[in-house]
Amino acid sequence: MKEVWEVVIGMEVHVQPATRSKMFCGCAIAELNAAPNTHVCEVCLGLPGVLPVPNRAAIEACLKSALALGCEIPRHTKFDRKNYMYPDLPKGYQISQYDLPMSINGALDVGGRRVRIRRVHLEEDTGTLKHAGDKLHRAWESYVDLNRAGVPLMEIVTEPDIRSADEARDYAVELRAVLRAIGVATADMEKGQMRVEPNISIRRAGSEELGKKTELKNINSFRALHRAIGYEVERQKQVLESGGTVEQETRGWSEAEQRTFGQRSKEFAEEYRYFPEPDIPPLELDQAWVEQLRGSLPELPSARRARLAGKLPAAAAATIAADRELAELFEGAVARGAPALPVANWIVNEVAPTGKLPSADALAELVKLVEAGNLTRDQGREVLAESVETGRTPAEIVAEHGFAQVSDESELRILAQAAIDANPKAAADFRAGKKQAIAALMADLRKRAPQANPKKANQLLLELLG
Ligand SMILES: [Zn+2]
């Protein structure tokens, strides 16, 4: 008999808030392609005799994120040292938060499931190891780049409330949408600004006891997250159904092989010897400031999605609601009298993929021109691109290019007749039943007048040939 398993997933997500400088020093955040070790100072190198100073912008981003996730903000919070030895951490410790995190007890609703948020706290990133050479011939060399050492990270930890790979992906997507909507992070996974680590266990359906869990690392896209969890759940089922036991461990995800692999055992809890960071006094958060931040939060994607869902198909509503700028563009263009559905289509298909935003005025004008049949869709695309580039209005661009479509019937009738007269063979073929011969007539007509409204021209050709 096939056993029924319940999947239990908790998520740990690290997100880099969009600050200009690092968490505890004035070093600028390095671009991805910056030369190694060019964004470092005494503080983030951990040299003796220097003092870390918390970055107010990072604290603000963390508090806003926590508030958007419905967390409580305790009045008192502090930083702690998490001690461990690793080459990418020359200080020998990471400044994080242990027993008094910046926030606790929130929730994020995703597709009908409430995922409880245990905590959102702040910490600093480590450096990056780079390996070169040839392991086989023992010419293996490792280098450390400390540009990322001390970069602020928010850690967002859920309770084990997620029940499938789909829900885990939806949670991560929604979390990113919230963080983007409130403007605290861009959270691009491929740039390492958002790192998702699911912990996964399975248990026999109906059991209350949690199974042994594995934690997955090296996941760099939502797709990889979904696949890695799917793989891991199947692996654990096979282990348990064949009488084995799941080992508590950290596992990596191999994108190339599409499988997880064991990295290190977590059979014994790691001992980090946390203690309060002696160089940073505990923080007492000004409640008036917290309330001011709460009041400054914009509408969240879930609320926006609910509002847009009345006007648009669900997929378009979701895409637009996930991005504050797209949502504002949509609402601005509709407020200027452009019809909602075509506006949404232009945003989803043309604006979102390029990432270049026209003004609401320009988009409204463009959509109206296309909908009225004064501009073909291809011409519309060209006009849109040029409008974004130059800031000129679609009407100005259309006038300059002579793009305006000819929809006038008497004018089009003359053009259609001219095309028929110039191509007697195609006309005869069409009349003899070769319907595709109309393409040659249409091509001739478009050559005479590229701006001819294609739908009306086609109608008139049919009428004249009939
Ligand atoms: Zn520094």
Side-chain angles (χ1 to χ4, degrees):
M1 199 187 96
K2 204 164 168 20
E3 292 196 73
V4 182
W5 297 95
E6 183 181 41
V7 176
V8 178
I9 301 170
M11 302 271 273
E12 224 180 271
V13 179
H14 286 90
V15 177
Q16 180 188 338
T19 59
R20 280 193 308 247
S21 55
K22 289 188 181 180
M23 188 62 230
F24 299 110
C25 63
C27 287
I29 305 291
E31 297 289 327
L32 269 185
N33 57 1
N37 298 310
T38 50
H39 294 63
V40 290
C41 71
E42 300 87 333
V43 175
C44 48
L45 286 173
L47 300 184
V50 293
L51 288 175
V53 178
N55 181 336
R56 183 184 168 102
I59 294 174
E60 186 170 313
C62 185
L63 290 173
K64 283 173 92 168
S65 305
L67 289 166
L69 295 168
C71 292
E72 299 161 24
I73 313 290
R75 185 181 288 270
H76 297 280
T77 184
K78 69 176 166 69
F79 289 100
D80 299 276
R81 282 192 187 179
K82 179 182 179 178
N83 299 282
Y84 66 97
M85 184 52 218
Y86 206 69
D88 63 9
L89 189 69
K91 291 197 293 192
Y93 62 87
Q94 180 187 19
I95 304 179
S96 180
Q97 296 199 277
Y98 185 52
D99 54 345
L100 288 177
M102 210 151 284
S103 69
I104 51 171
N105 296 340
L108 184 61
D109 290 329
V110 183
R113 180 174 304 276
R114 168 149 294 196
V115 178
R116 288 170 298 156
I117 308 281
R118 185 181 297 167
R119 57 194 281 161
V120 182
H121 76 237
L122 265 181
E123 58 185 36
E124 57 177 341
D125 207 352
T126 61
T128 319
L129 288 180
K130 292 181 181 166
H131 306 288
D134 179 352
K135 211 171 194 174
L136 198 63
H137 298 96
R138 299 177 180 232
W140 191 244
E141 292 173 335
S142 295
Y143 300 87
V144 65
D145 174 9
L146 295 172
N147 280 349
R148 283 202 68 85
V151 167
L153 290 177
M154 303 189 282
E155 182 174 320
I156 301 155
V157 184
T158 76
E159 300 293 342
D161 290 345
I162 295 167
R163 293 289 172 270
S164 68
D166 283 357
E167 286 185 6
R169 180 196 48 207
D170 293 350
Y171 166 79
V173 169
E174 182 70 6
L175 177 64
R176 187 182 67 175
V178 168
L179 298 176
R180 286 184 174 177
I182 63 174
V184 297
T186 41
D188 277 327
M189 282 182 86
E190 61 275 23
K191 290 184 185 163
Q193 295 166 340
M194 175 168 172
R195 306 203 283 262
V196 180
E197 286 156 16
N199 57 68
I200 301 156
S201 63
I202 62 174
R203 61 184 171 192
R204 289 186 165 79
S207 164
E208 287 298 308
E209 208 180 321
L210 288 170
K212 284 267 179 69
K213 65 184 180 185
T214 57
E215 190 180 310
L216 301 188
K217 294 198 184 276
N218 320 344
I219 291 170
N220 56 15
S221 69
F222 294 126
R223 211 169 93 119
L225 172 69
H226 191 255
R227 293 207 171 160
I229 292 174
Y231 178 91
E232 185 58 19
V233 166
E234 283 310 311
R235 190 190 70 83
Q236 291 189 13
K237 276 185 199 170
Q238 279 174 20
V239 169
L240 293 177
E241 285 176 359
S242 62
T245 50
V246 172
E247 205 189 328
Q248 189 142 326
E249 62 181 347
T250 300
R251 296 178 70 84
W253 167 247
S254 165
E255 189 64 41
E257 297 171 50
Q258 297 283 302
R259 66 180 190 89
T260 65
F261 57 92
Q263 284 185 317
R264 72 196 146 100
S265 167
K266 280 208 162 179
E267 205 57 53
F268 305 99
E270 284 151 288
E271 180 47 81
Y272 291 120
R273 293 187 300 114
Y274 279 101
F275 62 83
E277 166 59 56
D279 292 337
I280 304 175
L283 303 181
E284 185 178 333
L285 296 170
D286 176 357
Q287 296 302 294
W289 182 41
V290 172
E291 286 316 308
Q292 188 197 329
L293 293 177
R294 191 197 304 277
S296 75
L297 291 177
E299 184 180 38
L300 296 179
S302 52
R304 203 186 287 137
R305 202 159 45 228
R307 211 155 39 75
L308 293 181
K311 300 178 195 162
L312 297 175
T319 304
I320 294 172
D323 185 303
R324 182 173 50 168
E325 287 180 313
L326 294 183
E328 285 171 0
L329 177 60
F330 171 79
E331 290 180 330
V334 171
R336 285 160 177 78
L341 199 55
V343 168
N345 287 336
W346 276 89
I347 290 178
V348 171
N349 299 320
E350 310 298 338
V351 176
T354 65
K356 291 181 184 164
L357 295 188
S359 68
D361 277 323
L363 183 64
E365 196 180 309
L366 178 88
V367 170
K368 285 191 236 174
L369 284 168
V370 175
E371 288 303 302
N374 291 324
L375 213 56
T376 65
R377 215 180 156 77
D378 284 341
Q379 290 169 338
R381 250 179 235 127
E382 215 173 305
V383 170
L384 180 68
E386 196 169 328
S387 174
V388 170
E389 197 74 25
T390 62
R392 292 187 309 150
T393 70
E396 285 166 1
I397 297 164
V398 165
E400 187 188 294
H401 286 269
F403 265 158
Q405 269 195 32
V406 176
S407 296
D408 178 74
E409 199 171 317
S410 55
E411 209 173 317
L412 284 176
R413 191 179 292 276
I414 294 167
L415 287 164
Q417 190 59 56
I420 291 170
D421 293 345
N423 299 278
K425 180 163 181 331
D429 285 350
F430 181 87
R431 289 187 173 115
K434 280 180 73 181
K435 297 295 175 204
Q436 68 272 28
I438 198 162
L441 299 171
M442 196 62 198
D444 184 274
L445 187 149
R446 294 292 293 272
K447 220 185 300 164
R448 292 162 195 274
Q451 68 275 38
N453 179 322
K455 218 164 131 190
K456 285 193 179 166
N458 195 57
Q459 267 169 17
L460 287 164
L461 279 171
L462 291 172
E463 199 185 307
L464 291 170
L465 290 165

